[in-house]
Amino acid sequence: MSAHPIEALLRPPVELWSALVAFATAAIAIMAPWALMMPPGIAYAAGGVLGLIGLIRGRQGWRVLRYQRNMRRLPNYRLQSSQIPLSRRQLFLGRGFRWT
């Protein structure tokens, strides 16, 4: 196992599928309780709980989507050797560099 943590938000947003299933099941429970073989009172309660689960999972999936959408690739940054400022007191590293 790696000692470095893997970023959990760089994966597909699979929570959206469970949110969709929860919302669909909640709709079936509320609109057709006989299809799930439940009395209407229990079906309405189950529909409410499933709707809440769908909201929670949808929010989690939206968080993953929002994180991935807001990732940006840094622009290319190139300098010629004549453009690098020289100083005896400071070291110019540019805007960033890749550690290898």
Side-chain angles (χ1 to χ4, degrees):
M1 182 175 268
S2 174
H4 303 288
I6 297 174
E7 181 60 59
L9 298 174
L10 296 176
R11 58 176 173 70
V14 295
E15 293 89 355
L16 297 177
W17 288 109
S18 61
L20 179 68
V21 169
F23 284 135
T25 310
I28 291 172
I30 291 171
M31 293 167 39
W34 49 266
L36 298 175
M37 292 184 256
M38 292 184 184
I42 294 175
Y44 297 147
V49 170
L50 285 166
L52 180 64
I53 291 171
L55 285 174
I56 292 170
R57 295 296 284 175
R59 186 170 168 243
Q60 291 170 349
W62 182 251
R63 180 174 171 237
V64 172
L65 282 175
R66 196 177 61 214
Y67 178 83
Q68 291 175 0
R69 186 182 63 220
N70 290 328
M71 288 177 54
R72 300 280 188 250
R73 176 177 282 180
L74 292 175
N76 230 355
Y77 179 64
R78 295 182 185 175
L79 281 178
Q80 295 178 357
S81 60
S82 61
Q83 295 175 318
I84 298 175
L86 297 175
S87 172
R88 292 193 183 270
R89 287 177 273 144
Q90 294 179 344
L91 175 64
F92 178 73
L93 294 176
R95 284 196 280 177
F97 53 94
R98 175 184 249 172
W99 288 96
T100 58

